[in-house]
RNA sequence: GCACCCCUAGCUCAAUUGGAUAGAGCACCUGACUACGGAUCAGGAGGUUACAGGUUCGACUCCUGUGGGGUGUGCCA
């Protein structure tokens, strides 16, 4: 058997081929390879049971037959894996040390891993729409999930060979700007002046504008006029709007830099303001949209809910809304980017909305014979405080993302000071930033995104359990071993041999499961599967580290253990990179 | 009202998409080479998976109902 990155797929293939040649089996048989409980093996095939049931055959003897045929076919050499029948009719595969070793020898660096993994999504063109803050507002906790989950999905897809386009769909257009411009003018606020935190000023002015419009009908009317002037390209309002956007984007950029988040495009809603006319026209001419109560809407007569709950894509005053620009955006991505797939990362409250958006796009594209990209709504739950209510600051305001990260870094700094006081101030600062920001980010990613979760500083930075510091610590210890032994991390190990001790084998088995973890994380776009895996890998390393000393005199154990260190470091760092966390030399 | 999501150990969360004896961390208890970095490791205890039925070789997972929590539901995004 050739050594491939994804062992499960190889096992699936040889089992499938063997069954195809074997009497009672036919094309309805599916091997169903899954990761097994480590006590039983590395992988198991579950497919015999349902097949036997459908034919009214004895699953146990059917499994025996298949196992025998597999061994006799020579497709599974005994030095690759032991196969056995267990329980009611499971096939268990236990990878052998010699094969584990061959796998470790084959994948020596990030590029080799990436190349092997990239077969999965080879060239598929995917747009990931994430983060998407609103102009003139500071980013707060509500933006963290979309930002970090989106970034990780983007990185994972790219690792799997997709051509990924990250697009930050900034809310830079809409009715709010009239009020904001009104408030800016009323306050005489100079948008060009140097300020400490101009985005915070804009946010305050925005609130002020809202308040003014609420309190007086004249102000509301003035705000409306300002908006009309902006929409008609009035020079003054236009440059005002541009300044607002410049300030907003530079404010967002500070956070993105800190989080290592980058976008290929930041086409905000304003980019589509002249592209909605086509949406209106085509939805009307295809009969997908219709007028209702003065607005333009889409109903779905066969849908339990949406036969009565409208999808409003043009307001009764003729103006566009979120839906209009999202429709135009999807069309643009399909035509200009040739997107085969679009992934939207937003909170769970928008589920209905996206279901309607997708249904509308499907109906519209079908009528026009446009190619419809695959559409995914990657939704996530709310971050809760200790009171189990959406997380807020003491005053009730949303917690600013920057403040949250600052606090994480401060707390991490206190721990670094305590644990490692001898490091230089520069090192401490660097470690605190990585540990603090990484801990916040990891705490988010390690949760199943579909649930709400309770935010807790203790859990985050207690630095025990399934946390970023635990993973970073494992990497730092490996790097420390190489430093101590005076060899570079990529030193060649020509005399390394297959793993022998229980801890060595356990670690090697875990390493080969990397591809399975990525498959899981990508199949349902849930990064927490990758986190769980990395945590278990770091755990297997710690067990190994405590059980078997690397820096020993005998060259045999020394080299084979060094190889395990190299590969653990490689997989952990690759995984951390996919999560957007930078590894540390020391901590 | 209707629709959707959720309920797993004292707490915070997993569970390979219907698979084997439901797993981790925290907290609690017992241990570890004067340390290749103890921000670690080994072990113990802790469960009627909200509840009641059903489907089948097998259910935390699927179907029905009940209770509890959350979200959405015509001009915000």
């Amino acid at each position: 058997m050739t050594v491939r990155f994804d062992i499960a797929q190889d096992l699936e293939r040889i089992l499938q081929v063997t069954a195809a040649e074997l009497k009672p089996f036919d094309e309805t048989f599916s091997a169903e390879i899954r990761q097994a409980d480590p006590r039983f093996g590395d992988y198991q095939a579950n497919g015999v049971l349902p097949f036997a049931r459908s034919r009214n055959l004895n699953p146990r003897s059917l499994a025996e037959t298949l196992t025998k045929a597999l061994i006799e076919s020579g497709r599974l050499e005994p030095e690759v894996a032991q196969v056995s029948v267990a329980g009611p009719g499971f096939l268990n595969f236990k990878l052998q040390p010699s094969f584990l070793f061959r796998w470790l020898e084959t994948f020596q660096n990030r590029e080799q891993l990436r190349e092997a993994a990239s077969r999965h999504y080879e060239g598929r063109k995917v747009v990931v729409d994430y983060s998407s803050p609103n102009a003139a507002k500071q980013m707060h906790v509500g933006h963290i999930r979309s930002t970090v989950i989106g970034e990780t999905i983007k990185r994972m897809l790219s690792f799997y060979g997709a051509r990924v386009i990250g697009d930050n769909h900034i809310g830079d257009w809409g009715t709010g700007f009239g009020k904001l411009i009104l408030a800016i003018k009323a306050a005489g606020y100079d948008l060009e002046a140097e300020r400490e935190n101009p985005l915070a000023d804009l946010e305050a002015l925005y609130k002020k504008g809202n308040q003014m419009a609420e309190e007086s009908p004249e102000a509301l009317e003035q705000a409306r006029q300002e908006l009309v002037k902006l929409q008609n390209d009035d020079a003054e309002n236009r440059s005002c709007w541009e300044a607002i956007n410049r300030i907003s984007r530079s404010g967002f950029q500070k956070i993105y830099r800190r989080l290592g988040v980058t976008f290929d495009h930041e086409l905000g809603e304003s980019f589509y303001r002249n592209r909605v006319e086509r949406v209106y026209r085509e939805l009307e001419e295809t009969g997908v949209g219709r007028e209702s109560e003065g607005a333009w809407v889409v109903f779905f007569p066969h849908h339990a809910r949406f036969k009565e709950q409208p999808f409003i894509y043009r307001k009764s005053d003729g103006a566009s809304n979120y839906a209009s620009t999202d429709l135009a955006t999807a069309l643009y991505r399909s035509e200009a980017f040739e997107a085969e797939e679009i992934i939207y990362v937003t909170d769970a409250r928008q589920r209905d909305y996206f279901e309607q958006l997708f249904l509308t796009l499907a109906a519209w594209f079908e009528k026009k014979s446009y190619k419809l990209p695959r559409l995914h709504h990657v939704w996530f739950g709310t971050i809760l405080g200790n009171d189990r209510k959406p997380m807020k600051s003491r005053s009730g305001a949303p917690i600013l993302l920057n403040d949250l990260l600052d606090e994480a870094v401060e707390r991490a700094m206190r721990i670094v000071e305590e644990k490692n006081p001898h490091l230089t101030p520069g090192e401490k600062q660097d470690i605190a930033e990585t540990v603090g920001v990484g801990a916040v980010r990891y705490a988010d990613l390690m949760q199943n995104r579909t649930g709400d979760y309770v935010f807790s500083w203790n859990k985050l930075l207690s630095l025990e359990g399934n946390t970023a510091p635990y993973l970073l610590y494992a990497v730092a210890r490996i790097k420390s071993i190489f430093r101590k032994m005076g060899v570079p991390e990529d030193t060649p190990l020509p005399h390394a041999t297959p793993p022998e001790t229980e801890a060595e084998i356990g670690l090697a088995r875990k390493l080969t499961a990397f591809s399975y973890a990525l498959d899981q994380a990508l199949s349902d776009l849930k990064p927490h599967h990758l986190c769980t895996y990395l945590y278990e890998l770091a755990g297997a390393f710690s067990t190994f580290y405590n059980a078997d000393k690397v820096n020993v005199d005998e060259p045999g154990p020394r080299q084979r253990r060094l190889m395990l260190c190299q590969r653990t470091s490689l997989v952990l760092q690759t995984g951390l990179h996919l999560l957007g966390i930078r590894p540390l030399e020391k901590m």
Side-chain angles (χ1 to χ4, degrees):
Chain A
M1 200 161 112
T2 48
V3 180
R4 293 233 298 237
F5 180 58
D6 29 65
I7 297 160
Q9 282 186 18
D10 246 14
L11 290 173
E12 178 119 30
R13 187 178 52 76
I14 60 172
L15 208 53
Q16 213 69 51
V17 171
T18 304
E21 298 167 346
L22 197 60
K23 273 178 294 167
F25 292 98
D26 57 34
E27 65 284 350
T28 64
F29 172 74
S30 163
E32 287 184 36
I33 298 285
R34 303 284 133 82
Q35 198 163 51
D37 185 316
R39 285 171 300 194
F40 303 129
D42 293 276
Y43 297 96
Q44 64 185 54
N46 296 342
V48 173
L49 274 96
F51 182 79
R53 180 185 42 188
S54 71
R55 299 303 140 101
N56 212 4
L57 298 167
N58 181 326
R60 184 87 206 182
S61 68
L62 202 59
E64 304 278 6
T65 310
L66 183 58
T67 303
K68 194 153 163 272
L70 182 64
I71 292 168
E72 284 171 359
S73 75
R75 292 191 181 96
L76 186 70
E77 298 99 326
E79 59 272 18
V80 169
Q82 272 177 8
V83 55
S84 58
V85 176
F90 301 113
L91 264 59
N92 286 336
F93 297 89
K94 184 148 192 173
L95 300 175
Q96 297 302 294
S98 60
F99 177 79
L100 296 172
F101 177 63
R102 280 166 61 199
W103 194 94
L104 295 178
E105 271 188 312
T106 304
F107 302 107
Q108 299 181 15
N109 55 50
R110 171 102 44 105
E111 197 38 50
Q112 288 173 342
L113 286 174
R114 204 202 61 78
E115 200 183 317
S118 68
R119 289 200 348 251
H120 291 78
Y121 284 27
E122 197 87 71
R124 198 194 292 182
K125 198 138 187 197
V126 186
V127 172
V128 184
D129 178 328
Y130 65 108
S131 195
S132 307
N134 288 322
K137 287 182 188 165
Q138 299 178 90
M139 290 175 80
H140 54 81
V141 275
H143 296 103
I144 191 170
R145 299 205 83 179
S146 178
T147 306
V148 303
I149 292 170
E151 178 69 21
T152 293
I153 285 176
K154 197 183 74 182
R155 291 181 184 212
M156 289 195 304
L157 286 168
S158 169
F159 192 72
Y160 256 26
R163 290 178 294 168
V164 194
I165 296 172
D167 189 4
N168 191 9
H169 194 64
I170 294 173
D172 62 358
W173 199 248
T175 50
F177 283 91
K179 294 169 189 169
L180 176 56
I181 291 172
L182 173 69
I184 288 169
K185 288 183 179 174
Y189 186 84
D190 180 4
L191 289 160
E192 304 302 327
E194 284 289 319
R195 314 271 178 177
E196 178 142 351
N197 189 349
L199 187 50
D201 295 346
L202 289 185
E203 186 165 359
L205 286 162
Y206 182 74
K207 283 178 189 152
K208 179 77 183 156
N210 265 324
Q211 192 192 336
M212 288 164 69
E214 246 174 64
E215 283 167 2
S216 104
E218 296 81 49
L220 182 63
E221 181 50 32
Q222 272 180 299
R224 205 168 284 150
Q225 289 308 314
E226 297 293 358
L227 183 67
V228 170
K229 279 165 73 180
L230 173 62
Q231 287 168 342
N232 293 335
D233 266 338
D234 167 83
E236 187 189 6
N237 282 14
R238 178 82 196 179
S239 75
C240 188
W241 175 80
E242 278 162 7
I244 292 165
N245 274 299
R246 198 180 58 244
I247 290 165
S248 301
R249 282 167 197 257
S250 106
F252 302 151
Q253 205 50 48
K254 280 183 196 151
I255 304 246
Y256 293 143
R257 207 174 310 130
R258 221 170 163 185
L259 291 170
V261 169
T262 56
F263 298 96
D264 302 286
H265 296 283
E266 293 202 330
L267 302 179
E269 292 177 334
S270 64
F271 180 79
Y272 299 98
R273 64 183 185 277
N274 295 322
R275 296 170 205 266
V276 294
E277 287 300 331
R278 179 171 161 201
V279 175
Y280 301 153
R281 190 175 65 243
E282 295 193 358
L283 287 182
E284 183 175 358
E285 95 192 14
T286 55
V288 171
R290 63 175 232 223
E291 220 174 340
S292 168
E293 298 177 26
W296 281 87
V297 308
V298 183
F299 286 108
F300 298 93
H302 303 298
H303 193 283
R305 210 162 353 136
F306 304 143
K307 62 183 175 194
E308 284 175 358
Q309 184 180 322
F311 181 64
I312 300 171
Y313 67 88
R314 188 176 196 180
K315 300 196 284 183
S316 52
D317 64 1
S320 64
N321 65 2
Y322 187 54
S324 349
T325 48
D326 267 347
L327 288 164
T329 303
L331 181 65
Y332 183 82
R333 287 171 177 163
S334 167
E335 292 184 339
F337 295 157
E338 297 176 313
E340 297 165 74
E341 207 163 321
I342 307 175
I343 294 170
Y344 298 85
V345 188
T346 85
D347 68 276
R349 289 174 303 187
Q350 298 184 46
R351 290 190 69 191
D352 269 10
Y353 169 79
F354 275 100
E355 201 181 334
Q356 289 174 306
L357 176 70
F358 293 175
L359 286 167
T360 301
L361 285 168
W364 169 28
F365 278 36
E366 199 201 330
K367 286 269 165 72
K368 298 295 288 184
S369 299
Y370 298 153
K371 189 162 174 258
L372 182 70
R374 285 174 61 183
L375 303 162
H376 304 270
H377 183 211
V378 170
W379 54 275
F380 52 82
T382 310
I383 305 180
L384 307 174
N386 276 326
D387 57 0
R388 291 217 133 246
K389 292 193 174 143
M391 193 172 162
K392 291 259 161 66
S393 70
R394 212 166 295 158
S395 68
I399 295 168
L400 298 179
L401 198 39
N402 218 18
D403 293 350
L404 186 80
L405 296 177
D406 281 346
E407 181 166 356
V409 173
E410 276 168 35
R411 286 170 181 262
M413 183 56 111
R414 287 205 286 275
I415 295 165
V416 178
E417 295 276 11
E418 180 201 321
K419 303 272 183 191
N420 261 332
H422 58 280
L423 295 170
T424 69
E427 282 175 327
K428 286 180 195 166
Q429 188 53 49
D430 190 44
I431 292 164
E433 180 74 20
T434 297
V435 169
V437 175
V440 168
R441 175 184 217 134
Y442 188 84
D444 200 296
L445 292 170
M446 60 84 76
Q447 302 277 339
N448 184 345
R449 62 173 168 78
T450 55
D452 296 345
Y453 75 90
V454 177
F455 187 94
S456 140
W457 285 117
N458 280 343
K459 187 172 67 172
L460 224 76
L461 287 162
S462 70
L463 314 188
E464 283 164 359
N466 192 357
T467 60
Y470 182 81
L471 302 184
L472 290 167
Y473 183 63
V475 175
R477 282 209 297 199
I478 296 172
K479 291 185 177 295
S480 172
I481 291 173
F482 283 98
R483 267 201 309 275
K484 199 81 152 194
M485 293 174 66
V487 293
E489 206 180 311
D490 59 356
T491 188
L493 300 167
H495 304 299
T497 51
E500 289 180 24
T501 69
E502 194 185 339
E504 288 169 8
I505 291 170
L507 178 56
R509 289 171 77 193
K510 206 50 159 174
L511 283 164
T512 64
F514 182 42
S515 70
Y516 197 86
L518 282 172
D519 276 350
Q520 284 192 106
L522 278 164
S523 67
D524 51 9
L525 300 172
K526 287 183 170 180
H528 81 277
H529 286 122
L530 178 59
C531 295
T532 302
Y533 166 76
L534 293 173
Y535 172 56
E536 287 169 0
L537 176 61
F541 174 75
S542 294
T543 300
F544 158 77
Y545 180 88
N546 276 277
D548 299 324
K549 187 160 173 146
V550 179
N551 193 4
V552 291
D553 292 334
E554 313 97 285
R558 183 186 169 96
Q559 288 220 2
R560 71 168 193 261
R561 287 173 189 169
L562 270 174
M563 181 186 245
L564 287 166
C565 289
Q566 283 184 343
R567 300 306 187 265
T568 304
S569 177
L570 167 66
V571 174
L572 280 177
Q573 289 191 65
T574 301
L576 284 169
H577 168 76
L578 294 174
L579 301 176
I581 299 170
R582 193 169 44 92
L584 290 164
E585 289 288 325
K586 299 178 185 174
M587 65 180 280

